[in-house]
Structure formats: C-alpha cells, structure tokens
Amino acid sequence: MRGKRIVSTGIITMLLAGLLGSCGPTSGAGTNESTGGKIAPEENKHLEIMTYDDDFWQRFVDDFCEKNPGYTVERKLSQAVDTGAIQATLSADDAPDILMVNSGPGRVLPLAQAGMLEDLTPYYEERGWADKTVPYVMDALHNFDNRIYEVVDNVDVFQMYYNKAIFEDAGVEPPTTWEEFENVLQTLKDAGVQPIVLGANDNFSLGHLMGNLIQSNVGYEKMTDILYGDSSWDCPEMIAAYQNLKDWVDKGYINDDAAAIAGIEGQTRHAMGEGAMMVIANGYLQQFVDQEMCKNEDFGTFMFPSQCGGTSAPTAGLAQSWVINKNADNKEGALVFLDYVINDKIDFYDVEKRGTCPTTIVPEGKLEGDPVALEAVKAMEGGAGFNPSVYTTANEKTAYYESNQAVLTGLKTPEEAVKAIQAAKEADDAK
Amino acid sequence: MNAATPFWNNRRKRSCTDAATSIVFIIPTAILLIAFVIIPIIWTVQISFNEWDGLQPTMNFVGLENYQTAFQKPQFQKSLLNNFIWAVMHLFFACGTGFFIAFLISRLKRGMGFFRTVLFLPNVIATTISAVMWTQIFNPTYGILNNLLSAIGLDSLALQWLADPDLVIYSTSMASCWQAYGYYMVLFLAGLQNIDVSLYEAARMDGANAFKQFIHVTIPGLRSILTFVISMALINGLKGFATVWAMTRGGPEYSSHLLSLFVYKTAFLEYDYGLASAAAVILGILVMVITIAFNVFSDKINADM
C-alpha cells in the first residue's frame, strides 16, 4: 500500500514538474547567444531559403553560392507554397530569410497586410531591379497596393496549344480572326475531332481558358479597370466572354465530360492527341515530353484573336515569387540573393528543362532550347492579358471559379455568372 | 489491520490512494483532450464572434454577424442541404448495406471469417485513394460504370455522374457509403452473433416464419447496436470532407459542397476565419443535436418496449 502511494506521488510530481517546465521560456529560442551573440550584418553570409524540393532549386542555389563566394545557403524544403502554409512557416521562430511563394495579390497581399513580409518597393529603384524586370511584370506588381513585396521568379503564359497533325489532317490553319477561329472549331467538330479538351473539376484549366476568352472580349485596359478600377465584372464585354464559353459548350466544341475530369486528365488527353486544342501554360507540356508521350514539336501555339478591337495577346499570370521574411536574420544577404535572381539567374536559366518564362529582360539570343517555351517568351514581348486566377482577390477568385463551372454546366447564365463575381469582389472591397 | 486504527480511517486512506491513482491515469488523456479538443473548440467559438482573416494579430468583435451571414449565403444553404442528403444516404445505403451483408454472413455455416474480412476491406482503404478510385469508376469516357452500362445496352443510363449538378451529390455519397459500410457490417455482425439462438428456436416452435423471426427476434436483439450504428452513420454523414474534396472539390459550382468544405474554403481560400468558425460551430451543434435527439428518442423507445 505504501509502495503504491510512493509511486503515485512520484508520478504526479513528475507530471507537475513537466507541466511547469513546459510553461517556462524555451532555451535559446530566437537568439544566438550560445554561439556568441548575433553576427554583424556585414559578416553574415549565411542564408536560409525555402524552395520546392527538386533538383533544379539545388542547382539554382549552388549557382548562387558559386557566383557569390563566401555565402552558405541552408535550403528548407517545401511542397506547398500557398499562403496558408507560408503563413505558418513565417510564424515560426526559425522561419527562413527568403521564401518562394505563389505570386500575386490574392496570395502575397494577405501576408504583406499581416506585416510578415519586407517591403521591397525602395530596392526596385535603389538596386536597379525595375529596369531589368519585363514591363508586363512591373505593371502587374504596381497594381498591387502600390507597394511591392515580391520579386517574381517566373511567369505562366497561357495560349492555345494545338496539335499540328490534327490541324493538318482537318485542313485548318491557326486562326487570326475570331471568325476563322469559329470556322476551325466547326471544321474540327465536323471531322469527328474533339476541338477543345478541358478538365475542369479542379478549376485551374477552366480558369486559364476563361482568362483567354476574357482577354479576347474585354481586353487588357478594360480588365485592368475591372480588377483595380471602377469597372464592373457585369459589363457587356464580360457577358460576351461567358457567352462564348456557353456557346462552345452548346455546340460541343468542349468535351462534355469536362466538369467531371481534372485538369491533368485533360492535359494528358491533349498530349496523347485525343483533342485538337487546349489552353495551357508554357512548360506544362514538358512533363508529357519527359514521359515520351509526345514531342514539343507536335504542338504549335496561337493567341485568341481579339473580339474587342485590340491586338491579340496571351494571358499570363505571375507564377512564383521570392519574398523576404520581415524578421529575417540576414536581410542584407537576402537582398544579395534577390540581386542574383534579377541579374544572374538568366545565365543559369535552362528553358529546355524548366520550360518557364523568365521575368527579367532577356538579351537577344540568350535563351536556347525548347522552341515552344521560347515562343511563350516571344509572345510576352507584346504584353499579356490577365490570368484572373492570380489577380483576383480571395472571394472574387472563388466566385470566378464557381461561376466558370456554373456556366460550363448550365447552372448559371453568363449574366448571372458575372453578377456573382462582381458581388464577391464588392464583398472583398468592403473588408 | 492495526487494532488501534479505526476501520473507517483505513477506508478513507485507501479511497484517497485510489483517487490519486485514478488521477494519475486520467491526467495525460485530460491534458491531450484539453490541448487538442477543448481549447480549439473554445477558440473556434471565440473566433466565430469576430471578424478575422487568420493573419492579422487582432480581431474585430462582430457578435452574431458571422452566423447571420452564414445562413444568408447560398453556398452555406446548399452545403447544409447536401449534408442532409449525405447523412440520409449514409443511413440507408451504408447502414443498410452493412446490415444486409452482416445478416447474410451471419447465416453462413462456413467461410464467415473470409467474407467478413474481404467485405471489410473498403473500410481500411485510405479515403483519398477510395475517392480517386471512384472518380475513375465514374469517369464518363473511360470509367468502368459507363462502359459496363453501354456494354449491356443501357447507354441511356451512362450518365455524367460527377459533372451533372443534380447527380453529383449522390455519386459522391455512394463512394463514401461504399467505404463506410464495412464498419457498420462488423458492428451488426457482432450484434447478430450475440442474439441467443434459443430465441429463434422458440420462435420457430411458436410457428414464426423467417420474416416474423427477423421482426420479433433479430431487430429487438440488435436494439442497442442499432442505436449506436445509426448515431455513427448520422455523424459520419455530416462530417464527410476528403471524399468530396478528392472527387469534385465541391463542384460543379457548389453542387457537391458539404459544410466541411464550406468551412475549409472559407477559412483557407477566402481567409474569412470568423465565418468559417461560425459554420464549424453550426456543424458541431448540428451533430450534437441530432445525436442527443436520436439517443433520447431511442431511450424512450427502449423504455416503452
């Protein structure tokens, strides 16, 4: 009996001690005192960087260290660069100095508003970043709360990718006017070919297609005003864009199972030649080329012809950006890293392998390799429209995705769809 | 026992020691429960009365506004309706199938273990894998279901299972029911095996046919299990997330949205933690009310019998 009491008392004491111990400050957290205090900024050449976990980023970091002798980089790996995951990372005591995140107002703005990111606006002038960044990207950044919190690493450029062999068999050419485009679609349909392949149940691919229809009907200027100015989503041009989508569904130009399949299945079907066209970003084909399902030269690209009197342009979306942790241990080192991204990364750029579109001005003849990716770079030279998935705010984006699906499946008319997006935008603006 | 010590003194000491031992065993669980259940629940309720984007250090108190907004949102209304459909589907298809199969297996003379194991397998498959599998089964072009229907001349029944807004909630809940029925089957089987065989013999001697034996022996014998299984089916029916997220993400539009998806999207895609918390609290209350009401109802029935 006495033994039992001793054991019980002992266990209770240990638990209480553990509880009290865990309430006290954690030793050494947030400081470097055990190693002799904080390192002076000019001496600190150690950086912690969070990137995706793949070989490309290791080679990228190695290249930075080679070009910036003395720097050591500790990579922290991440599979997710969405805002929620980044917020959790930035809240931790050992948050990295620099992080790769999904770009754009919908993703970076909430983090910036929460005071978690370093304001990079002055450095764009001081360090000459503005002059070296492609105009499209600078415009997109300046639209962001008049402050800049990110250095964009790459851009997705969305165009219509067509299967050359299918076009040849059907006797059609890439269209240059909207009428020609409609004729191509009908000719392919009549030839028993699925004109457009789409996988819409995860929203992204349909968002990309819709972005191009919007660019064709609404144009860059008007869309800028819708996103950032006084114009409204429920304008006649936007209704016309959604009417295009509805017409294509009604005429069978889009596969009737689009709402049931994921974007990747649509892309796979397209890569395997089961449909003539699909709106995808530069670089998306590469995964299928790597698996020898198709070759880059099997496909060509064209931009949606403008229906609003402007020049045709692809749509683009800032893809991933670098941001600096507001509480970074090595802010100066982080800026040196961003200098490298702006000035030197292009030397390292391997278009053939990455297939992404760089965001800094590329000297003539610098990029060689994948002609399809290079075509995207060239398409960007004349500017680009918006991929709304990137530039819409939180509620607005959800409503955009839901409205796209609603029109695709006949749940909403084009008028109802654009009204729903506008209502969501107004709700965001009211916050 | 020491003759000088009164017996009630020893009893009190033993009772104190027993209490201390009990506390020692309860403390670890209590700490975990408080840290991971009670505090988050309290915090969720607190957030539900505030406007908060999950990122700012401060929140704005808005009273019941988030609750009002939730009930006014078409997405929330649709999610609520879908949750009821989902729960009813679980009740009839998952529970019903589980009961039917358990009943058949219980009558087997041999091979009961084999069938019990094989038929329980869907329950041990990860929900996401099950969802991906059903997405492929429902694939309108390459899916086995539509191809099978076409092969037997039922082309008119080869439908857009996941793309048709009117069908999708039933398709996704069927996938979930398929995964869940094994759990209910095992519970029913345990209940069926506990029914005294002599009751069936007595019923037979009284001239009861198989149907009457089922109604008057099997069902009353499963009363306590039935209460538990139906409660679980309703709760599981109200919870579903992974299946829908993996199969449709709640689409087309929000045709297959459930409350759990509403909570997730509102918090993590729209950064409205206040509204998401209000919806989560409503979902929690809903589960509690249904469970308590059902238990009160079944207690009343049991008392009357």
Side-chain angles (χ1 to χ4, degrees):
Chain A
M1 186 65 72
R2 193 173 170 205
K4 253 185 172 178
R5 211 162 45 221
I6 291 169
V7 170
S8 303
T9 314
I11 293 173
I12 290 172
T13 310
M14 278 194 296
L15 281 169
L16 284 174
L19 267 178
L20 290 172
S22 67
C23 295
T26 49
S27 57
T31 67
N32 216 5
E33 284 172 2
S34 60
T35 54
K38 288 221 168 196
I39 304 162
E42 65 276 11
E43 293 167 12
N44 189 356
K45 289 200 163 186
H46 180 72
L47 274 175
E48 290 184 6
I49 298 178
M50 196 175 88
T51 67
Y52 282 118
D53 178 16
D54 71 38
D55 289 345
F56 175 83
W57 295 110
Q58 187 55 53
R59 291 193 289 128
F60 179 67
V61 163
D62 291 345
D63 190 64
F64 164 74
C65 292
E66 198 179 311
K67 288 179 173 150
N68 294 273
Y71 270 93
T72 55
V73 173
E74 182 186 335
R75 270 180 78 214
K76 296 193 167 186
L77 307 179
S78 169
Q79 295 299 333
V81 291
D82 60 274
T83 309
I86 295 297
Q87 185 239 344
T89 307
L90 283 169
S91 303
D93 281 344
D94 60 345
D97 301 303
I98 309 171
L99 303 91
M100 173 162 270
V101 303
N102 282 330
S103 309
R107 290 103 162 230
V108 174
L109 186 59
L111 297 168
Q113 283 174 332
M116 292 177 153
L117 303 181
E118 181 75 7
D119 181 359
L120 302 177
T121 317
Y123 306 119
Y124 268 83
E125 290 308 319
E126 283 171 22
R127 300 176 93 99
W129 296 348
D131 296 334
K132 289 172 181 168
T133 303
V134 295
Y136 165 79
V137 174
M138 281 310 296
D139 287 346
L141 288 172
H142 277 297
N143 280 321
F144 169 26
D145 200 28
N146 292 323
R147 309 300 300 169
I148 306 175
Y149 295 89
E150 57 192 310
V151 164
V152 185
D153 184 88
N154 56 77
V155 173
D156 288 328
V157 183
F158 298 95
Q159 301 182 83
M160 189 64 104
Y161 279 66
Y162 68 94
N163 186 307
K164 288 178 183 170
I166 292 177
F167 264 45
E168 202 178 312
D169 289 348
V172 292
E173 296 281 328
T176 53
T177 65
W178 192 258
E179 290 69 30
E180 283 177 21
F181 195 3
E182 292 277 359
N183 286 335
V184 166
L185 291 164
Q186 190 58 50
T187 306
L188 290 165
K189 178 82 186 156
D190 293 342
V193 175
Q194 181 60 56
I196 296 172
V197 197
L198 179 67
N201 91 344
D202 50 6
N203 292 316
F204 304 111
S205 285
L206 179 54
H208 302 156
L209 171 68
M210 205 54 232
N212 273 273
L213 284 172
I214 290 170
Q215 172 61 19
S216 169
N217 281 279
V218 181
Y220 181 80
E221 301 298 331
K222 175 90 178 180
M223 189 59 190
T224 306
D225 207 34
I226 289 171
L227 291 171
Y228 307 110
D230 298 328
S231 290
S232 165
W233 277 86
D234 53 348
C235 60
E237 297 91 337
M238 193 63 80
I239 293 169
Y242 277 92
Q243 189 61 47
N244 280 160
L245 176 66
K246 185 181 181 311
D247 291 345
W248 284 3
V249 173
D250 293 344
K251 289 176 183 171
Y253 295 160
I254 294 174
N255 47 313
D256 60 4
D257 61 354
I261 66 170
I264 187 70
E265 184 173 341
Q267 288 166 16
T268 309
R269 288 188 193 180
H270 179 240
M272 293 176 75
E274 290 181 25
M277 292 179 272
M278 185 173 194
V279 173
I280 50 174
N282 54 301
Y284 275 44
L285 268 179
Q286 195 59 46
Q287 57 187 314
F288 303 109
V289 174
D290 290 345
Q291 293 174 52
E292 298 179 352
M293 289 164 70
C294 60
K295 293 176 185 154
N296 275 317
E297 53 268 31
D298 295 342
F299 299 92
T301 61
F302 65 88
M303 300 172 213
F304 278 38
S306 175
Q307 299 177 74
C308 58
T311 51
S312 299
T315 60
L318 310 179
Q320 270 100 36
S321 292
W322 297 100
V323 293
I324 297 182
N325 176 3
K326 182 83 178 166
N327 299 313
D329 285 336
N330 189 358
K331 247 174 230 177
E332 183 52 37
L335 291 170
V336 171
F337 181 80
L338 294 186
D339 282 338
Y340 162 77
V341 172
I342 298 270
N343 295 312
D344 300 324
K345 188 186 167 191
I346 205 66
D347 288 338
F348 171 76
Y349 230 100
D350 187 351
V351 173
E352 192 171 15
K353 294 286 177 231
R354 287 278 295 155
T356 57
C357 189
T359 53
T360 47
I361 294 163
V362 183
E364 191 70 35
K366 189 83 183 172
L367 295 178
E368 287 182 4
D370 170 16
V372 179
L374 287 173
E375 210 169 317
V377 176
K378 197 175 163 201
M380 280 280 290
E381 284 171 2
F386 295 96
N387 168 21
S389 308
V390 173
Y391 300 99
T392 41
T393 48
N395 272 295
E396 190 183 10
K397 183 163 76 178
T398 306
Y400 171 67
Y401 283 153
E402 285 174 350
S403 293
N404 293 349
Q405 282 202 350
V407 173
L408 180 76
T409 52
L411 282 167
K412 277 196 171 100
T413 63
E415 288 81 0
E416 288 167 341
V418 296
K419 277 196 172 80
I421 307 173
Q422 180 60 24
K425 182 182 188 304
E426 285 167 13
D428 276 339
D429 291 346
K431 282 181 183 170
Chain B
M1 192 189 292
N2 187 341
T5 313
F7 72 93
W8 60 83
N9 228 355
N10 275 343
R11 195 186 292 166
R12 201 172 57 193
K13 272 185 189 167
R14 193 164 57 238
S15 146
C16 285
T17 312
D18 288 348
T21 311
S22 307
I23 288 167
V24 167
F25 282 108
I26 288 168
I27 280 178
T29 310
I31 289 171
L32 292 175
L33 191 73
I34 290 167
F36 295 110
V37 179
I38 308 294
I39 291 175
I41 287 175
I42 294 168
W43 201 31
T44 304
V45 173
Q46 185 205 351
I47 294 170
S48 74
F49 293 115
N50 288 277
E51 185 188 27
W52 188 44
D53 65 3
L55 299 167
Q56 304 290 337
T58 54
M59 298 189 269
N60 295 328
F61 182 76
V62 292
L64 290 170
E65 197 181 300
N66 286 323
Y67 290 89
Q68 199 182 346
T69 309
F71 282 110
Q72 284 169 349
K73 277 203 118 177
Q75 291 93 328
F76 180 84
Q77 294 163 6
K78 180 74 178 169
S79 305
L80 201 57
L81 176 67
N82 283 344
N83 256 116
F84 276 110
I85 293 173
W86 189 273
V88 170
M89 291 282 288
H90 253 261
L91 199 57
F92 284 96
F93 288 97
C95 265
T97 310
F99 179 72
F100 181 67
I101 292 175
F103 186 68
L104 291 182
I105 290 178
S106 70
R107 302 182 86 81
L108 287 176
K109 297 273 187 275
R110 296 164 79 182
M112 185 192 283
F114 171 76
F115 283 107
R116 191 174 51 201
T117 308
V118 168
L119 292 165
F120 184 69
L121 277 180
N123 200 254
V124 298
I125 295 175
T127 308
T128 314
I129 292 172
S130 158
V132 170
M133 201 176 81
W134 276 95
T135 307
Q136 294 308 314
I137 290 172
F138 285 133
N139 187 306
T141 311
Y142 305 111
I144 190 169
L145 180 59
N146 277 3
N147 280 306
L148 196 66
L149 289 166
S150 299
I152 58 173
L154 295 172
D155 296 75
S156 59
L157 291 179
L159 304 170
Q160 294 283 348
W161 303 102
L162 298 178
D164 185 334
D166 297 326
L167 267 183
V168 64
I169 188 66
Y170 301 101
S171 309
T172 49
S173 65
M174 280 307 289
S176 175
C177 289
W178 175 80
Q179 212 207 351
Y181 84 86
Y183 175 64
Y184 306 126
M185 178 196 76
V186 169
L187 291 172
F188 279 127
L189 200 53
L192 286 166
Q193 285 170 333
N194 277 338
I195 298 173
D196 192 342
V197 182
S198 63
L199 292 174
Y200 287 103
E201 284 165 8
R204 264 198 301 274
M205 285 172 74
D206 287 344
N209 59 20
F211 178 73
K212 282 189 172 171
Q213 285 173 41
F214 178 77
I215 296 294
H216 296 293
V217 179
T218 308
I219 297 289
L222 286 176
R223 214 162 42 220
S224 56
I225 287 284
L226 262 174
T227 308
F228 176 69
V229 169
I230 291 173
S231 299
M232 288 306 296
L234 285 171
I235 292 168
N236 287 337
L238 289 168
K239 281 199 313 194
F241 175 85
T243 306
V244 177
W245 186 253
M247 289 180 82
T248 64
R249 297 199 176 208
E253 206 189 17
Y254 34 87
S255 308
S256 56
H257 237 225
L258 298 178
L259 280 178
S260 51
L261 262 83
F262 179 84
V263 171
Y264 174 80
K265 282 188 175 177
T266 307
F268 302 113
L269 301 181
E270 295 171 11
Y271 309 114
D272 192 342
Y273 278 61
L275 181 58
S277 299
V281 170
I282 293 168
L283 178 60
I285 291 171
L286 208 59
V287 172
M288 271 195 298
V289 166
I290 288 174
T291 311
I292 291 169
F294 184 75
N295 280 309
V296 169
F297 174 71
S298 54
D299 283 350
K300 194 173 178 313
I301 285 187
N302 289 343
D304 292 345
M305 285 179 88

